[in-house]
Every structure is written in structure tokens, then in C-alpha cells.
Amino acid sequence: MRYIYGHEMKQYWKTLLLWAVCVGGMGMACILLYSTMQEEMAAMADSFAAMGGFSAAFGMDQLSIATLKGFFATEVGTIHELGGAMFAAVSSMNILSKEEDGHTSEFLFSLPVSRGKVVWTKWGAVCTGLLLFHLICMGFYGMGFLALSEGIPVKEWFLYQAMQLLLGLELAGICFAASAFSRQNRLGVGLGLVLLLYACDLVSRVVPKMEKLSVISPFAYANASEILGTGKTAAGGALLGAGVLVLALWTAYVKYTGKDQT
Amino acid sequence: MDNQKTVIEISHMTKKYGKHRGVTDLSLTVEQGKVFGFLGPNGAGKSTTIRAMLGFIRFDSGRINLFGKDIRRHREEILAQVGYMPSEAMFYPAMKVREVIQLAAQVRGVDCGEEGEMLCERLQVDTEKKIRELSLGNRKKVSIVCAMQHSPRLFVFDEPTSGLDPLMQSTFFSLVREYVDQGATCMLSTHVLPEVRRYCDHVAIMKEGELQCVKAVTALTNAGARRIKWVRDGKREEFLYDRDLNELHRELAGHDITELLIEEPSLEEAFIEYYRT
């Protein structure tokens, strides 16, 4: 199976590199910009923290945008969350369906390999891609912190990255399952789903009556401001996310191994 | 070489696509060392049969054994000994030909380097080109290499020569003959009747999802209808006749017959007769 795994990685390493460099690079640029905007940020911090639901939506009620940690959580955190989630959708939405969409399934499945093994190998490639994406981004952000001679809050930092990885895996798992049902390229659906879930999280934070929307959005447990501000995450949400991931993978396996090849 | 060994054994296989007909109660066997033609008009069920044989699709009832093993339970083991060439011959467009051939060999876990090189040379395959740069004919050649490089015991070809130039068609069939002479078996689904006449030992004809007949190619033209050509009462006529010849004889009584020729129909006519009835 390592050859199919290698083949998958080879097929999408350029996409991985492009997304990681763009998201990580943008994050690092934002961190570096902080030193030039430090005074303006300090002046704005109080007013940003007093904007009620809007402040809460971006976590500015828990962290001061005047500190690098607060600036990272509110600015870079948003870029990383959205960028990482969109990359998760891009890397998994077509990974199973592309064989039928590109008419390559007859070649692939004429080889002595079962559909089940193909499912797990492709999922392995998705996981590797997500892990590498987060490692590269962490590298960029770390370089930004080092350039400003700022220390990194290690415990919060790793918890945040772990939750970001779980967020990516959950969204990738959902898209992976959707890919098992589809015979065509449905990238738009995957990206739409990411934006919808992000919007659900945002609305749940801004509008008190819609607070329950946070239950369905995995962005709720991976919020940078909450994790970096309190050192904790919504454990229930994370557990639910892990459950959704397992269910999505099971669905993908059952559907893909049970369907006829077109 | 044991020519009596059954390589393909399909028993009462039925596959339906919802309410649509697929294949109904198909039973056939193919012996080792034979080139077996698989014929039928579009939608006759040939591709469904091949797909079920290779485990691409599930079937509703019946049994398919290749090399004596059930395809549903031993798919991977069976496919390791099969070389399949689909009619479309599609690969990953961004890959080089060399990489595709290598991937196929690596997944099979066998060293096909020497055989692959020989095939690429004989089929004049440019291994450094990207798949997206290839014409249908050149993609077919890559597909032939992928199907043959591991020297399988069974070949399954679905319209293999469409898109190939006559020279490559001839090279392809020479290769098939060489592998078959070494003990391999070949199932050839095609619409090109001269190919069947020249290269196949036996032929199965499918129509509307059902098997019409399995016969030796030579027997097919010797049985059934006859082509009748005559000049009766000054009028020239030509037609296929599949009833008792004594009846024809009685019909001619009292007529002025100046020319009469009764001959075997061509293979094409024999097939068309099966398609029609």
C-alpha cells in the first residue's frame, strides 16, 4: 500500500506546500507587522474589548490585542483556522471521487488492491498532509515569535495546535465521507461547508440566542482566543468532534467498499 | 501445458441495475490457453460481465470463479494474476508514462522491469512523456504494457484495438499469441469481427443481457443459416436461409433455375443473424 500512499502524496504535495506557505507566511507576516503596529494596537485595545458580542466573537474580551499573544489569537488565529479548515476540505473532498471523476478507477482497481485498503491509504495521505500543514505553519509562526524575541506559551500553544489538527481532521473526515458518495469533483461543497460552520461559530458568539449553534461547529473548540487566553478548550466539543470523525470515517469506508464502480 | 484447466467459470450470474436489465443467468467457462472472443451489440451485457468478473461490481446471484477461486472472496489474489485493459485507458494526467508503468508494477509487488522494457520497445512507447500529452492510441499502448508486464495467467481486454494503428494492432495480437502459447488465457471483448475470425478460438455472443451461444469460431460459420444465391425465372436473388434445405428444394420445383449457389455465410453475417434473432 505504500506505493499508493506515495502516489497520493506525490499528487498533492504541491497543493500542500502552496497552502502551508501561504497560510503560514501570511501568519508570520502578521506577527512581524505587530512590532510596527504595537502602539496603535495599545490605543485600540480598550475600545476593541468594549464592543460586546463583537469583542467576544473575536475573543477580544479574553485577550488584549495590545499583547502579541492577543494579537496572534485574534488576527493570525483567524487566518490559521480558516486557512487550515479550507485546506482540510481541499485535500479530502475529491480524494476518493477523483478516481471515478478522472476515469482512473478502472486502472487503480484492476491492480490487486481492495477498495478498503484504498480508503485507509488515502485517509493516511490526508492525515499526513494535515500534519505537515500544521507543522509548516507552526514553523512560520515560531520564526515570527523568535524574530520579535517573544516567548511562546508552550502549553497553550500545543493545545491550540492539537485542537487545530482535530478541527482539520474532523472537517477532512466529513469531506472524505462526502467524497465516498460522490462520483464528481465537489470541492465547492467542501469549501461551502467550512464557511458555513465557521459562520455558525461566529453567530453563536455574537448572538446570545444562537449560542447553541456552537455545538455543531468544530470551530468552537479550536478557538485561538479561548485556548490561548484560558489554556483550556471546550472538552465536550472536542470529544464530539472526535466522535464525528470516527463516524465519518466509518461512513466513508462502508459506502466506498460497498459501491459499484462506474 | 494442461489445456483442460478451467480459468473462467461463470455460473448463473445475474446482475440488475435497479429496474434495468444487466445480465441474466449467464453461465460460461473458458479453458486455459484459449483466446475467447466476447461479442454482442452495445448494451448486450459484455462490460457488465467483465466488471463482475474482475470484482468491480457486485452481482445479485450466481458465482464467478477465476482460477478456481471465488472473485468475491479472493479478489486481490485473483487480480494479481490478471492483466486487464479497459476500453477507455485513462491514467493520471500529470504522471509520466514511466511512472504509471512503474506504479502498476510496484502495487503488484513484482519486478517487471525487463518485461516492461521489452513491451515498451515493441509497442514504441515513449516512457518520458506525460499522460496528458498522449493520444488515445498511445494511452492504449501504455494500458497494454500495464496489462502484460507482469506476465499474467489471464488477460481481459475490452475493445483493445480501438485507436491503435494497424501496425500496432498486429504487434498487439502477436504479443497476445506469444503469451497464450506460453499458457496464458485471453478474453477479448470486441466489435471488430475480423479480429475474432483471425485470433479467437471460441466466441460467446451476448444479446440483451443473455448468452446466445458459445461456439468455436469455425463452427459458428458452419452452423445455422446458409447464404443462397440464385437466378430464378430470370430474376437474381440473394438471401440468408436458416430452415430445412429440403423445404427450399420443394419451393424451387416448377421454377426455371439458371444459377444456384449455396454457401456458408461470412462470420459477419453469422453474427448479424444472432443479433437479429
Side-chain angles (χ1 to χ4, degrees):
Chain A
M1 293 318 296
R2 66 192 162 111
Y3 295 109
I4 291 181
Y5 172 81
H7 162 67
E8 280 302 329
M9 291 307 297
K10 209 171 171 182
Q11 274 193 311
Y12 101 120
W13 72 268
K14 279 184 192 165
T15 310
L16 160 68
L17 217 57
L18 191 72
W19 275 82
V21 169
C22 286
V23 174
M26 272 164 66
M28 188 173 78
C30 279
I31 294 169
L32 295 175
L33 273 177
Y34 170 74
S35 60
T36 61
M37 298 160 64
Q38 204 167 1
E39 284 176 21
E40 290 86 340
M41 285 294 138
M44 291 191 302
D46 288 342
S47 48
F48 270 138
M51 292 167 74
F54 184 78
S55 303
F58 290 96
M60 286 179 288
D61 57 337
Q62 300 187 43
L63 282 169
S64 169
I65 200 169
T67 64
L68 180 57
K69 195 161 90 169
F71 181 78
F72 177 87
T74 50
E75 303 299 321
V76 183
T78 308
I79 294 171
H80 186 66
E81 276 162 39
L82 268 175
M86 286 167 103
F87 173 70
V90 166
S91 60
S92 57
M93 194 64 213
N94 297 327
I95 196 156
L96 293 173
S97 59
K98 72 179 177 187
E99 303 294 350
E100 278 161 296
D101 194 33
H103 303 279
T104 49
S105 55
E106 283 204 318
F107 167 69
L108 180 63
F109 292 112
S110 68
L111 301 173
V113 57
S114 71
R115 291 178 83 86
K117 280 182 187 167
V118 167
V119 169
W120 297 127
T121 306
K122 284 179 178 261
W123 176 247
V126 170
C127 291
T128 309
L130 284 175
L131 192 63
L132 288 174
F133 172 85
H134 285 286
L135 285 174
I136 294 169
C137 288
M138 271 174 81
F140 272 109
Y141 307 150
M143 282 194 288
F145 275 91
L146 277 176
L148 299 184
S149 304
E150 286 272 350
I152 297 171
V154 179
K155 186 194 151 205
E156 293 92 334
W157 178 260
F158 280 104
L159 180 63
Y160 172 63
Q161 289 301 339
M163 288 303 107
Q164 282 297 313
L165 187 59
L166 180 60
L167 164 74
L169 288 172
E170 185 185 345
L171 291 171
I174 295 168
C175 292
F176 192 71
S179 182
F181 281 85
S182 178
R183 297 187 196 278
Q184 286 172 311
N185 184 336
R186 302 267 186 226
L187 186 57
V189 176
L191 293 175
L193 176 77
V194 167
L195 294 175
L196 181 72
L197 291 172
Y198 182 75
C200 285
D201 179 53
L202 212 58
V203 169
S204 73
R205 290 170 192 276
V206 176
V207 185
K209 280 185 182 171
M210 307 290 271
E211 202 181 357
K212 283 188 177 160
L213 269 182
S214 67
V215 177
I216 61 162
S217 176
F219 287 92
Y221 64 74
N223 186 276
S225 306
E226 271 179 24
I227 297 172
L228 295 176
T230 64
K232 289 175 187 166
T233 184
L239 274 174
L240 184 67
V244 169
L245 171 61
V246 171
L247 185 68
L249 292 181
W250 177 78
T251 307
Y253 178 81
V254 170
K255 177 66 190 173
Y256 200 70
T257 52
K259 87 174 177 184
D260 282 350
Q261 191 175 308
T262 52
Chain B
M1 190 173 73
D2 178 14
N3 281 336
Q4 297 310 304
K5 216 170 176 183
T6 300
V7 174
I8 301 172
E9 187 185 1
I10 302 176
S11 177
H12 303 290
M13 191 270 282
T14 294
K15 167 71 182 174
K16 283 191 169 64
Y17 295 103
K19 285 179 184 173
H20 300 283
R21 181 198 66 235
V23 170
T24 310
D25 198 32
L26 173 69
S27 295
L28 65 86
T29 56
V30 178
E31 305 298 324
Q32 187 188 343
K34 302 287 180 202
V35 180
F36 190 87
F38 202 42
L39 288 165
N42 294 330
K46 304 188 297 294
S47 292
T48 299
T49 306
I50 288 176
R51 282 159 176 267
M53 260 174 59
L54 300 177
F56 293 168
I57 57 172
R58 291 160 301 160
F59 43 95
D60 304 312
S61 59
R63 200 184 72 242
I64 299 179
N65 283 3
L66 300 186
F67 313 114
K69 288 177 180 157
D70 190 330
I71 187 68
R72 286 185 286 203
R73 284 194 288 169
H74 303 278
R75 186 176 176 275
E76 281 176 71
E77 205 181 321
I78 288 169
L79 287 189
Q81 303 174 68
V82 175
Y84 170 58
M85 181 182 172
S87 58
E88 280 195 308
M90 297 294 275
F91 303 99
Y92 307 99
M95 284 175 83
K96 283 185 175 175
V97 168
R98 173 175 48 79
E99 294 169 331
V100 168
I101 294 170
Q102 214 167 36
L103 176 68
Q106 286 170 334
V107 174
R108 291 185 180 280
V110 283
D111 180 12
C112 314
E114 220 171 281
E115 195 75 2
E117 259 177 51
M118 179 277 288
L119 289 165
C120 287
E121 203 178 299
R122 285 182 66 177
L123 291 162
Q124 296 163 23
V125 176
D126 183 349
T127 55
E128 289 308 311
K129 275 200 169 177
K130 291 223 168 177
I131 293 293
R132 69 162 69 95
E133 298 167 359
L134 301 183
S135 63
L136 170 67
N138 282 322
R139 285 204 312 275
K140 285 265 182 182
K141 291 198 276 183
V142 178
S143 192
I144 295 170
V145 177
C146 290
M148 291 181 169
Q149 64 174 342
H150 56 293
S151 307
R153 289 170 62 195
L154 170 65
F155 292 102
V156 180
F157 297 120
D158 195 356
E159 294 178 37
T161 52
S162 61
L164 289 181
D165 63 55
L167 187 66
M168 281 304 135
Q169 289 183 20
S170 163
T171 307
F172 167 73
F173 281 111
S174 299
L175 286 165
V176 171
R177 182 41 67 192
E178 286 166 30
Y179 284 110
V180 168
D181 286 346
Q182 288 167 30
T185 307
C186 176
M187 185 170 192
L188 177 72
S189 170
T190 181
H191 289 293
V192 187
L193 299 177
E195 281 178 3
V196 175
R197 188 172 46 228
R198 286 185 65 184
Y199 303 108
C200 294
D201 305 302
H202 287 78
V203 64
I205 300 179
M206 295 283 290
K207 187 186 167 190
E208 293 174 1
E210 288 178 16
L211 184 67
Q212 300 300 300
C213 71
V214 181
K215 282 184 178 167
V217 172
T218 46
L220 197 68
T221 50
N222 292 336
R226 294 283 180 276
R227 171 148 297 281
I228 310 290
K229 292 174 183 174
W230 66 29
V231 178
R232 185 172 65 167
D233 301 329
K235 198 178 164 191
R236 184 172 293 277
E237 288 171 315
E238 190 177 328
F239 57 94
L240 280 175
Y241 187 82
D242 60 359
R243 284 175 286 154
D244 184 2
L245 284 177
N246 290 312
E247 213 175 292
L248 184 73
H249 182 240
R250 284 193 290 274
E251 201 179 306
L252 291 176
H255 289 278
D256 176 30
I257 305 297
T258 50
E259 264 182 52
L260 173 61
L261 187 64
I262 301 174
E263 59 183 18
E264 283 176 7
S266 68
L267 190 63
E268 285 78 356
E269 284 172 324
F271 286 132
I272 289 165
E273 198 59 22
Y274 270 107
Y275 288 5
R276 235 185 243 145
T277 51

